[in-house]
Amino acid sequence: MTHYNIKFIIRNILRNKSLFTINILGLSIGIACALFIYLWVLDEYQVDKFLSNDNGPYELIMHFHSNKDISTGFSTPCLLAENLNSEIPEIKYAAAVRRWNNITINYGQSPLKASGIFAGKQFFQIFDYKLIYGNSKMLLNDKSSIVISDVLAKKLFNNIGEGLIGKEIQLQQNNLFKISGVFQSPPKNATHQFDFVVPFEEFKSNNNWAFNWNYSTVSTYVSLKNGVELQLFNDKIKKYLNNKRDKDQLLTTLEARKFTDAYLYGEYDNGQVSGGRILYIRLFILAAIFILIIACMNFMNLSTAIGAERAKEVSIKKIIGESDGNLIIQFLNESIAISIIALILALVIVVDLLPFFNDLTGKEIKWSFNANTLGMALLVTLFTGLLAGSYPAFMLSRFKPKDILKGVSSLSSKDLSISKAI
């Protein structure tokens, strides 16, 4: 925009303060809503992504075949992980995992409540949880060992120092476990939330049915060796359970899926992915677009409401040689300028209300002025400014000087209404 255009925009804003205020409020609220949705969608896409690598982790699921129908289950036999690890050379690591919730923990003080998991020896080699103390290859070798989170360590010992290694804590009033490591608690955007990890061998030693292939009660995770293609691996393990389960059981096939995809694509229909939280994401994206369109329509209506007042301005400019194209650019510049001001106010709204938004959504979203967030904010602003200013720009530029000079406008403000155009 030229210095002349900037002065002209400021003059028009000061001339129509009430209209400017309403437009700013409408656009800023619309942009703020769109930015909140953007932050939520971005966070949803980041769930579990900190664990992702080229080789996994992969989650094994089971498809049960009955006549022409296929149902999908996410629990597997307890023996699956260790057997696959020894029999399938494409597997690098494998581990079974089972939840252990609402557990009482004692260490010479009032008991605490915590939730944890039983996990196979290679759990910390499959999942890239940050270890503060301990060797990922040795942590779960002893079935009387336990790995605790830094948060639980602070609750129990008021510190996370290396001196914690070797200390014994009591679970469920009678089981003593020796601390072998400390890990950083999973972030809020992790689907696995746990305070401690106990060796899976401890679970097996207390449950004889864990050795029965017909019982599917645990989750099984694997990492593949370099260069192994997922489709070829799935073809190989597909019928693995045929000779493991009793003949009277339903025909079952195995499939490995990327663990980081499970959160968004967790629903299956007849053995195929049919949706999941990705549907909510798409719905909210459409909602954000709809909100912006509504804000833009409000801007259009308010701008065209004073169309008759600006008719003389347009006519005089045309008489002195201004082209329709330059007039359109002027009006678009005005709307983009207003959108930029609205963006600044929207950013203030987002930063101030983000803690309440996190409480509402159960997230821990943080606003940072990085290239991605600012780029998206500017893109939304540009889209809003161009869309909001397009209709007034093209319609107001159509005023005819001869009609205005005669005192007759070929387009009344009522005719300029966006609702009229629709």
Side-chain angles (χ1 to χ4, degrees):
M1 290 184 286
T2 65
H3 177 68
Y4 166 77
N5 283 334
I6 293 174
K7 289 177 64 177
F8 199 80
I9 291 170
I10 294 174
R11 189 181 71 180
N12 281 328
I13 288 174
L14 295 176
R15 182 186 298 171
N16 301 284
K17 294 179 182 178
S18 59
L19 179 68
F20 167 74
T21 302
I22 296 173
N23 273 336
I24 287 293
L25 289 176
L27 287 179
S28 60
I29 292 173
I31 293 173
C33 290
L35 290 177
F36 275 126
I37 292 175
Y38 165 74
L39 292 174
W40 180 84
V41 168
L42 187 64
D43 188 81
E44 288 286 286
Y45 271 111
Q46 293 302 313
V47 170
D48 289 329
K49 292 300 188 293
F50 69 99
L51 297 169
S52 181
N53 58 64
D54 293 338
N55 303 316
Y58 294 98
E59 179 183 15
L60 297 186
I61 59 177
M62 298 171 62
H63 299 298
F64 302 95
H65 301 253
S66 176
N67 297 324
K68 295 182 179 180
D69 297 324
I70 302 175
S71 59
T72 300
F74 307 103
S75 295
T76 55
C78 296
L79 298 174
L80 183 61
E82 59 185 273
N83 278 262
L84 282 175
N85 205 13
S86 61
E87 298 175 15
I88 306 296
E90 289 83 357
I91 292 178
K92 187 175 183 179
Y93 303 116
V97 175
R98 181 181 170 89
R99 296 290 306 178
W100 197 16
N101 295 324
N102 200 30
I103 304 304
T104 301
I105 299 180
N106 285 285
Y107 181 74
Q109 59 183 29
S110 300
L112 300 174
K113 287 291 185 180
S115 294
I117 58 174
F118 295 99
K121 296 178 181 179
Q122 297 175 340
F123 175 78
F124 284 103
Q125 293 165 275
I126 298 173
F127 291 94
D128 191 23
Y129 294 108
K130 183 178 179 181
L131 291 175
I132 300 174
Y133 299 110
N135 185 329
S136 62
K137 297 180 180 180
M138 306 293 294
L139 285 177
L140 300 172
N141 286 350
D142 182 356
K143 74 174 188 176
S144 64
S145 64
I146 186 172
V147 189
I148 64 175
S149 71
D150 54 349
V151 173
L152 181 59
K154 289 177 182 177
K155 290 180 180 178
L156 290 172
F157 308 103
N158 201 32
N159 73 84
I160 55 172
E162 194 172 4
L164 301 181
I165 305 301
K167 289 188 175 182
E168 288 187 333
I169 58 177
Q170 189 178 48
L171 272 63
Q172 297 296 76
Q173 305 299 328
N174 52 10
N175 298 318
L176 289 175
F177 292 88
K178 187 177 294 185
I179 297 174
S180 61
V182 179
F183 64 93
Q184 190 174 83
S185 287
K188 193 74 171 182
N189 64 345
T191 52
H192 283 172
Q193 297 290 333
F194 50 93
D195 302 305
F196 62 86
V197 183
V198 173
F200 192 72
E201 291 300 318
E202 172 68 16
F203 174 77
K204 287 172 60 179
S205 66
N206 293 312
N207 297 280
N208 291 331
W209 52 265
F211 297 89
N212 191 324
W213 283 95
N214 296 325
Y215 290 93
S216 299
T217 59
V218 302
S219 299
T220 300
Y221 302 98
V222 300
S223 287
L224 304 180
K225 293 180 179 178
N226 292 334
V228 176
E229 294 184 14
L230 180 59
Q231 186 57 54
L232 295 178
F233 175 72
N234 277 331
D235 291 341
K236 185 167 186 176
I237 67 169
K238 184 175 182 179
K239 298 180 180 180
Y240 180 82
L241 293 173
N242 282 358
N243 298 321
K244 304 290 186 182
R245 292 161 59 85
D246 291 345
K247 299 299 181 182
D248 60 347
Q249 299 291 312
L250 288 175
L251 176 65
T252 306
T253 55
L254 273 179
E255 180 187 354
R257 65 172 180 176
K258 194 80 171 177
F259 172 72
T260 51
D261 292 339
Y263 180 76
L264 294 181
Y265 303 93
E267 293 183 5
Y268 284 75
D269 181 24
N270 205 32
Q272 300 295 322
V273 175
S274 59
R277 289 186 69 88
I278 189 64
L279 299 179
Y280 293 101
I281 288 177
R282 292 167 182 166
L283 182 63
F284 275 100
I285 291 174
L286 290 176
I289 295 173
F290 182 74
I291 289 171
L292 286 177
I293 291 175
I294 293 296
C296 291
M297 290 177 65
N298 180 61
F299 181 97
M300 293 177 190
N301 273 327
L302 290 172
S303 297
T304 54
I306 61 167
E309 296 178 17
R310 303 195 68 175
K312 291 183 180 180
E313 170 197 329
V314 172
S315 299
I316 292 172
K317 285 187 174 183
K318 284 191 173 184
I319 289 172
I320 62 176
E322 198 78 77
S323 66
D324 287 355
N326 286 337
L327 288 171
I328 290 172
I329 292 174
Q330 175 199 317
F331 287 121
L332 290 178
N333 283 340
E334 285 186 31
S335 64
I336 291 174
I338 292 174
S339 296
I340 291 174
I341 298 172
L343 169 64
I344 296 172
L345 181 57
L347 291 176
V348 173
I349 294 173
V350 170
V351 173
D352 285 346
L353 296 184
L354 194 55
F356 300 99
F357 182 75
N358 283 333
D359 290 339
L360 180 66
T361 59
K363 299 282 189 180
E364 288 184 351
I365 300 171
K366 295 180 181 179
W367 175 268
S368 58
F369 289 93
N370 54 44
N372 290 333
T373 53
L374 288 178
M376 177 55 65
L378 290 174
L379 184 62
V380 168
T381 302
L382 183 61
F383 167 80
T384 305
L386 291 175
L387 180 60
S390 60
Y391 182 75
F394 284 99
M395 295 305 292
L396 290 174
S397 65
R398 288 172 55 190
F399 279 119
K400 298 178 181 180
K402 64 177 183 178
D403 291 336
I404 300 303
L405 294 176
K406 292 178 182 179
V408 180
S409 174
S410 61
L411 289 171
S412 68
S413 60
K414 186 176 180 180
D415 290 332
L416 280 169
S417 170
I418 186 65
S419 60
K420 197 77 170 177
I422 294 173

